[in-house]
Each structure stands twice: as structure tokens, then as C-alpha cells.
Amino acid sequence: MSDVRLIVGIDLGTTNSECFVYSTTTNTPELQYLNGSLTGMYPSVILYDQKAEKFIVGQEAKDNEGAKVWREMKIDLGKGEAKKVTIGSQTLNPITFSTIILKYIYEGLQQAYNDPIIETLVITVPADFKDAERQATLKAAHDAGFEPENEIRLINEPTAAALAYGEKLNEAQTLVSFDLGGGTFDVTFLEYDNIDGVRFYQALKTDGLILGGRDFDRKIIDYLYEGYLATDEGKAYKKDVPFKESFYLSAKNLAERIKINLSKTESVSGTDIIKVNGNRIILEYNITRDQFEKMIEGLVDRTIQMTKKVIGEEEVGCILMVGGSTRVPLIKKKIEEAFPNIPRVDDNPDLIVALGACIQASIISNKKESFLNEILTNPLGISVSGDFVKHMLYEGTPIPYEIEERFYRADDGDEVSAFLVQGKDILLESRNNQILGEIVLTGMKNTEAGAPVDIKIRVDNSGMVEVTASEVEEDGAKFFNNFKIGSTMRVQAQNYADLRAQAFEKYKDKTLQDLTAIADEIIEKIEAREEKVPSDHWLLEKLQSGRYGNLEEFKVIVYRADLKTDLY
Ligand code: AMP
């Protein structure tokens, strides 16, 4: 190991990833050109080389036109095993996908700096990411090999952009970061202040959508596909679903190139060959910027409406354009139309997020005196009275934060349970809500309805959530049941131990295969229910993903699910 110390910032993007390292020699963050990259932008694309038995990552994978590749899996981070994709002999899920991308950067740094010591690592995530997606990002970073001395911190992409832009500002002002990347859109309203050279950033409001450049690419692919079907050669494929699927994968790079060219010129025409299901097909196209703008106008309008909502009646000093997709001329035009009096800053939109991540890492490593206060982007609450959510922490709450509230149990019995929910809706089953986990208190001493239970939610600097529930006894003492939310159900509780013991006893001789069969039966029961509630979806997800994890935890999940489905 060399004694080089690195302070690292990474933008783990849907389309591209970038890395900056704070250099103690120059006291500035420097873009990294790792693994021979000429641009410092690593396409988030992975290919498996059967012969060499290894994964190929980045530009080399992207350039392999026609080959099946894994890409854009960041969109599904947090959704677990359900979103795995198999190509040939290999299967990746969103976490292993992100792990491979981060490992590519990690190994690049190892090589470039000869086994350095990593002090701090900051990775950016879309502001709208909920706990499960944040946990998944963190897991991917650990699995990739990152074990920094200080910590791995996650910060929101738009906040990172503001942090980088703020380096150039002296006067206090309000900023809006309009961040449209490859797969996600985030808009954040922030306050900036500079007091005697010490910078303060306070995020105030934020919102986001799953929408980005890949949706623009798709519109162009639709156009190419329809165009091809209208040719003599293409007619035969009208109802051929495998053809369509293969076409959409193969035309992706071409569509992106056309889109990027349309940012520079008024029209793009040409002839290209793509490989569809092993056959070469010839595509002729002629597409004008005007046509393209009509295709994407509805999508762009959604981003403008959301920005208006976030700005509300506030005075804004400037709008910071972030993310590669803000290079699309229609976006600039629409922003100018909607906010004619607010100056717009287009400041290196592809790299500014990674730069901001590195600045935040240097603040954590005490190389810089600035303060960044983030906010919770998605409210948190627990399920009450069946299918409703009682919010305990609202969006806009500064983080880290901790809150405790007292609840009163509705029914008699020695067990109470509630779901921890993230999302804005009051109805538990709303598709905007995500169940992060189940809080369970078993073996309660006070078994009567009306008995008080205290629930505490803590959100850390990275926006990740931890919950503690405790029974309140007559003398005010608390009987704790700790439950840490994670990508797997990690339960460390004194009285929850009973449930675990019962699960281990019931399934003591069961192998993974036996349990998988039981899990499948339970899944069938749940799926047969006509009206599913989110707890069903949550159980289904756990029963699917649990089987790939630890056998003991899987036993507990199956046991809980079995108890629940017995009630159906
Ligand atoms: P990012 O996540 O910030 O790297 O943004 C990546 C997205 O920006 C991808 O969908 C790219 O196709 C898109 N993009 C990059 N450059 C341009 C450009 N000049 N015009 C239009 N879209 C672009």
C-alpha cells in the first residue's frame, strides 16, 4: 500500500459515471481519467466476455454495438432481486450492476494511485431516492471494495451540483438546481450564503421524477421502428414481438447519437445498419429537431410543471442546469419561457455533480470549511388503523433528524406490528408509497388495547432510516425492540428473538430448497388474493429476495409470512 490518501467523489449515473479526487497537492478536486478513459466519463454499461470470463465495463462495453449489455439498471435500485436481468450465463440485479460499475472505478483508483488509502467517499444519488435505493447504493459501494477510513456518505445529486457551483459565488442567493440526467429528473430549491468565506448551503425543497434522456432515446427508437415497419422489408415484422424487443435494444446507441446531434443541428439524416436477432437490417432516417421536439414536449412539460411547483412564490437567484439532458435545446427554451426573469447557468452539466460530491468529501475530511444541510425528500410514517399512514417526518425536514411519537395499540394481544412507510400518500397502498419494513413488538407485557407504544424514527446524514419501537411500562420504563431497516430484514430484538426461535424450531431440518418450496406455496396464496394490500407486495418481495440471502433470515421471513397468510 502506498501512503497516498484520497478523498473521493463519485456520480453514479444512470447513463454515465464520473469520479473526482481531491488533490492535497493542488487543493482542488481533479477529474479522474481511469482505466485509460479519454473523457473521464464512464458509460454505465456492462458486457460479459464469455471467452475471457470477465465483465467489460464502460466505453468498451458501450461500443460493442449489437451485443446484449446491461444498462440503466440504476432505475431499479432498491427493487431487489425482482429486477434481475440474465444475459447468457450471467445474471445481474441492480445492486450487482452498480457494484461492478463502482468496482471498475475502485480498481482504476487502485491502479492509478498504487493501492492508496481512501479517507472519505461521497456518492451522489437522485434526491428522490427512498431508503431502499440508498441502502442498495451503499451496499454496492461496500461490495465494490470501498472501505474508507471516515465514511461513505450519500448526497443528493442536485445538492452536489449546487455545492460545486457555489464555489464561484460570493453573495448570498437562492438557487434552483434543475437536474435532468439519463434516467432521473430532480429539482431542488436551495439557499446559499457566504459568511467571511465560509459557505453555507441549505436545501429547502425538492421533488423528482423517473424521467430522463433514456425516455427521449425511446421516442426516437419508436420513430425508427415505425419507420422500418413502413418499409417493404419491415412489413413482415409488424406483429413480431421478439423482433421488436431486439430492435429496441439494438437501436439504443443510434437513437442516442441522433438525439445528441439534434442538440447541435436542425436535422439529422443517414443510413445505419443495426443487428436485430442476429440479422443486419438497414435503417434510413431523416429527422428534424422540430419533429424531435414534438415527440418529447409532453415529457419536458412535466419537468417544467414540477419546477414551477417547487419554486412556488419564492424569489430565485439563478437556475442551475445539471445533467447531460439539459443540453437539449427545447429544455433551455422551455425554462426561458417559464422563468423569463431568472438567469440560467449551464456550467458543465455532465461533471458538476461528481465535482460537488468530491467537494462534500473534502468538507467531511476537514479540507474545507463549508456547511451543507440536506433535507428529507420523501416523508416517513407508519401504518395505522389498517391501511392508512400516519406521517411522522415530512419532506423538507433537515437531516440528520430524530423523532419519537407515542401510539396506542388498537387491539388486545401480545404482539403489535406496523409498517414503516416512505412516501407522500396517506393511503398505505398508494403506488407512490414504499414499505421499508415491518416493525414488530412481540411478547408485549401489556396485552390490552390502548397500551402505549413509542416509535422513534432516525434519519442519518445520508438520508437512511432506522426505527426503534418500545413498549411503555407503567413506571415509564421502556422495553425496547430495535429494528434496523435494510435491504434484508435485519431484526435484532430482545423479544423478537422469540419469533426467530419459533421460526428456527419449526424449520429446523429444512434446507434452502424446502424453504423455497414453502415460500412458493405462500406466494401462490398471496397472489390468489383479489385485492392486494402493500403488505402483500412487501411479503412477496421478501419471499422472492430472501431466498438468495442468509438461510436463517429466510426462515424468519417464511415463518412471518406463514403466520400472516394463515389469516387469509
Ligand atoms: P448524465 O446522467 O448527466 O450523464 O446525463 C446523461 C444523459 O444526457 C444521457 O441520456 C445522454 O444521452 C444525454 N446527453 C448527453 N449529452 C447530450 C446532448 N448534447 N444532447 C442531448 N442529450 C445529451
Side-chain angles (χ1 to χ4, degrees):
M1 188 181 272
S2 68
D3 50 11
V4 176
R5 304 178 71 80
L6 302 184
I7 295 161
V8 182
I10 295 176
D11 173 4
L12 182 62
T14 312
T15 319
N16 296 301
S17 299
E18 298 86 20
C19 172
F20 275 81
V21 164
Y22 181 86
S23 155
T24 41
T25 337
T26 56
N27 282 337
T28 49
E30 283 170 2
L31 179 65
Q32 300 298 298
Y33 299 87
L34 305 171
N35 304 310
S37 164
L38 298 175
T39 58
M41 289 174 67
Y42 317 109
S44 306
V45 181
I46 300 174
L47 171 80
Y48 189 69
D49 182 339
Q50 291 286 359
K51 270 199 211 122
E53 294 186 355
K54 63 171 189 165
F55 288 104
I56 294 173
V57 184
Q59 196 60 47
E60 199 184 337
K62 185 173 179 180
D63 287 344
N64 242 288
E65 304 231 354
K68 281 198 173 157
V69 294
W70 291 270
R71 68 196 318 163
E72 293 170 356
M73 289 183 83
K74 174 177 160 183
I75 299 297
D76 293 319
L77 260 175
K79 294 196 185 135
E81 284 289 329
K83 294 290 174 182
K84 62 186 180 210
V85 176
T86 301
I87 299 177
S89 61
Q90 302 293 318
T91 300
L92 297 184
N93 65 48
I95 298 186
T96 47
F97 174 86
S98 302
T99 303
I100 292 172
I101 305 279
L102 286 170
K103 200 167 176 189
Y104 178 78
I105 295 175
Y106 177 75
E107 287 174 351
L109 289 170
Q110 296 292 311
Q111 218 173 23
Y113 292 93
N114 188 20
D115 210 3
I117 299 161
I118 296 182
E119 263 189 40
T120 306
L121 169 64
V122 171
I123 302 177
T124 55
V125 291
D128 209 35
F129 260 19
K130 298 192 174 93
D131 180 76
E133 292 134 326
R134 289 171 195 262
Q135 295 279 0
T137 306
L138 201 62
K139 177 167 175 13
H142 284 297
D143 291 351
F146 282 108
E147 292 299 341
E149 274 182 356
N150 283 333
E151 62 174 305
I152 303 180
R153 175 86 60 92
L154 306 182
I155 64 169
N156 295 334
E157 287 161 11
T159 324
L163 200 55
Y165 175 60
E167 294 283 294
K168 296 186 183 164
L169 293 176
N170 291 318
E171 308 267 301
Q173 65 165 282
T174 50
L175 308 170
V176 164
S177 169
F178 179 100
D179 180 358
L180 188 62
T184 52
F185 168 68
D186 280 314
V187 54
T188 300
F189 177 66
L190 297 106
E191 247 173 21
Y192 167 82
D193 205 353
N194 184 331
I195 301 171
D196 298 334
V198 181
R199 298 184 152 87
F200 295 85
Y201 301 83
Q202 172 70 56
L204 293 171
K205 239 196 273 174
T206 186
D207 214 338
L209 293 167
I210 301 282
L211 193 161
R214 70 182 200 136
D215 300 291
F216 301 167
D217 298 343
R218 216 184 143 87
K219 294 280 181 193
I220 296 183
I221 307 177
D222 287 342
Y223 166 88
L224 294 172
Y225 178 69
E226 294 301 330
Y228 184 67
L229 290 191
T231 64
D232 285 344
E233 199 186 273
K235 266 193 261 172
Y237 296 103
K238 243 183 192 139
K239 295 211 164 94
D240 190 336
V241 177
F243 176 85
K244 183 172 181 183
E245 278 172 7
S246 177
F247 187 102
Y248 271 70
L249 291 175
S250 296
K252 169 87 186 158
N253 282 355
L254 172 62
E256 192 185 10
R257 276 201 302 274
I258 295 175
K259 173 187 74 176
I260 291 177
N261 273 331
L262 284 171
S263 295
K264 285 183 253 156
T265 59
E266 287 295 331
S267 76
V268 177
S269 55
T271 307
D272 259 80
I273 294 175
I274 62 168
K275 237 179 167 178
V276 181
N277 278 340
N279 299 321
R280 289 163 170 273
I281 67 164
I282 300 170
L283 286 182
E284 282 184 37
Y285 50 87
N286 177 13
I287 167 168
T288 64
R289 186 186 285 174
D290 200 41
Q291 273 174 306
F292 173 59
E293 291 187 344
K294 288 208 173 76
M295 294 175 197
I296 61 166
E297 190 167 11
L299 298 172
V300 176
D301 284 344
R302 286 175 64 201
T303 67
I304 302 291
Q305 273 152 19
M306 185 167 270
T307 309
K308 280 188 180 157
K309 209 173 97 194
V310 164
I311 291 181
E313 300 294 310
E314 305 288 349
E315 285 251 327
V316 177
C318 83
I319 297 182
L320 186 57
M321 304 294 276
V322 185
S325 296
T326 58
R327 293 186 195 274
V328 171
L330 181 66
I331 311 256
K332 296 181 190 168
K333 202 161 85 191
K334 290 263 178 186
I335 290 268
E336 264 160 29
E337 273 169 21
F339 312 103
N341 303 320
I342 309 176
R344 206 187 66 224
V345 181
D346 300 276
D347 202 16
N348 213 348
D350 310 290
L351 299 177
I352 194 166
V353 169
L355 173 60
C358 188
I359 293 171
Q360 174 66 5
S362 63
I363 294 170
I364 296 171
S365 273
N366 288 325
K367 299 285 184 239
K368 208 180 243 314
E369 205 184 354
S370 291
F371 296 92
L372 168 65
N373 294 320
E374 287 253 48
I375 48 171
L376 183 70
T377 44
N378 277 293
L380 286 159
I382 68 157
S383 61
V384 288
S385 323
D387 290 342
F388 291 98
V389 178
K390 162 78 175 71
H391 284 122
M392 288 173 66
L393 279 176
Y394 291 90
E395 64 201 288
T397 305
I399 56 170
Y401 203 88
E402 190 175 277
I403 190 168
E404 185 171 61
E405 264 185 53
R406 180 156 298 178
F407 292 83
Y408 297 90
R409 47 180 314 183
D411 307 304
D412 292 340
D414 65 353
E415 176 179 322
V416 279
S417 68
F419 288 108
L420 177 67
V421 185
Q422 190 157 35
K424 295 182 179 125
D425 286 354
I426 297 288
L427 266 184
L428 178 65
E429 24 223 288
S430 155
R431 67 187 174 90
N432 299 323
N433 287 342
Q434 208 175 67
I435 293 178
L436 301 183
E438 192 181 17
I439 310 158
V440 186
L441 272 168
T442 55
M444 282 188 70
K445 297 188 175 159
N446 188 343
T447 56
E448 285 170 22
V453 172
D454 282 352
I455 294 186
K456 190 191 275 181
I457 300 184
R458 203 182 93 78
V459 182
D460 73 9
N461 277 314
S462 294
M464 285 185 295
V465 186
E466 212 180 281
V467 168
T468 313
S470 52
E471 182 178 358
V472 189
E473 293 184 47
E474 266 166 37
D475 59 2
K478 289 187 180 183
F479 180 44
F480 279 100
N481 183 330
N482 290 316
F483 179 60
K484 193 170 183 331
I485 305 303
S487 48
T488 55
M489 201 161 78
R490 268 178 283 142
V491 185
Q492 305 134 355
Q494 210 184 344
N495 46 3
Y496 199 76
D498 296 345
L499 194 96
R500 294 173 69 84
Q502 288 161 15
F504 297 152
E505 178 56 30
K506 179 159 183 192
Y507 301 131
K508 97 170 155 266
D509 305 318
K510 299 281 187 259
T511 63
L512 183 61
Q513 252 176 338
D514 302 332
L515 277 177
T516 304
I518 301 172
D520 285 341
E521 267 175 40
I522 299 175
I523 287 173
E524 240 175 68
K525 266 198 206 171
I526 298 176
E527 285 190 332
R529 286 188 56 145
E530 261 178 30
E531 295 222 350
K532 285 196 202 50
V533 293
S535 55
D536 290 337
H537 296 297
W538 182 80
L539 273 177
L540 282 174
E541 215 279 308
K542 288 288 161 209
L543 290 169
Q544 290 286 2
S545 61
R547 63 186 67 179
Y548 302 100
N550 166 317
L551 182 64
E552 290 197 344
E553 295 300 338
F554 190 37
K555 283 182 182 173
V556 179
I557 291 164
V558 173
Y559 184 68
R560 281 213 59 75
D562 195 23
L563 287 182
K564 270 226 148 71
T565 43
D566 259 2
L567 304 174
Y568 291 175

